[in-house]
Amino acid sequence: MTSAFNAYAALAVAIVFEVTASALLQQSAQFTRPGPTLAMVMFYAASFYALSVAIRVIPMSIAYAIWGGVGIILTTTVSFVLFRQILDSAAFVGIALIVSGVVIINLFSETTVR
């Protein structure tokens, strides 16, 4: 496997861990529940470690944009499915703009690793 493949795999793991940690943040009830709080800290730490592995190959600005953009979409989805949080149209437009930015970076930027 190529180093680019491994870097993007690490980035995908970082995103999944970050979304999991964000869901646990909701479950921690402002850090009053020890189990979800400890799990949240562990998932955030693992997410940042995986992100650090990814930025060995992927430029940090690109990796962070993908991590943030995809993380927002997945966190929004998890919030809707698990916590029944509904967004208004302005929130959807904002998320669509973020997604557009990530797509533009990946399709047209010469900075990305291919």
Side-chain angles (χ1 to χ4, degrees):
M1 292 190 217
T2 67
S3 61
F5 177 84
N6 290 337
Y8 280 103
L11 183 56
V13 168
I15 292 166
V16 170
F17 285 171
E18 188 269 332
V19 171
T20 303
S22 295
L24 287 164
L25 178 61
Q26 174 82 20
Q27 294 297 308
S28 76
Q30 293 77 43
F31 308 121
T32 60
R33 297 180 59 213
T37 300
L38 178 60
M40 176 208 62
V41 169
M42 292 171 55
F43 273 100
Y44 273 131
S47 176
F48 278 105
Y49 175 76
L51 182 61
S52 75
V53 170
I55 64 173
R56 291 179 188 161
V57 175
I58 304 169
M60 184 176 64
S61 57
I62 302 301
Y64 193 78
I66 295 168
W67 183 71
V70 174
I72 287 169
I73 295 165
L74 292 178
T75 300
T76 301
T77 303
V78 167
S79 295
F80 175 75
V81 171
L82 294 181
F83 308 122
R84 303 290 183 229
Q85 297 174 352
I86 299 172
L87 301 177
D88 60 13
S89 57
F92 279 113
V93 169
I95 291 170
L97 290 170
I98 292 167
V99 171
S100 299
V102 171
V103 168
I104 288 168
I105 287 170
N106 281 290
L107 290 179
F108 302 111
S109 176
E110 293 181 19
T111 307
T112 59
V113 177
R114 302 203 194 280

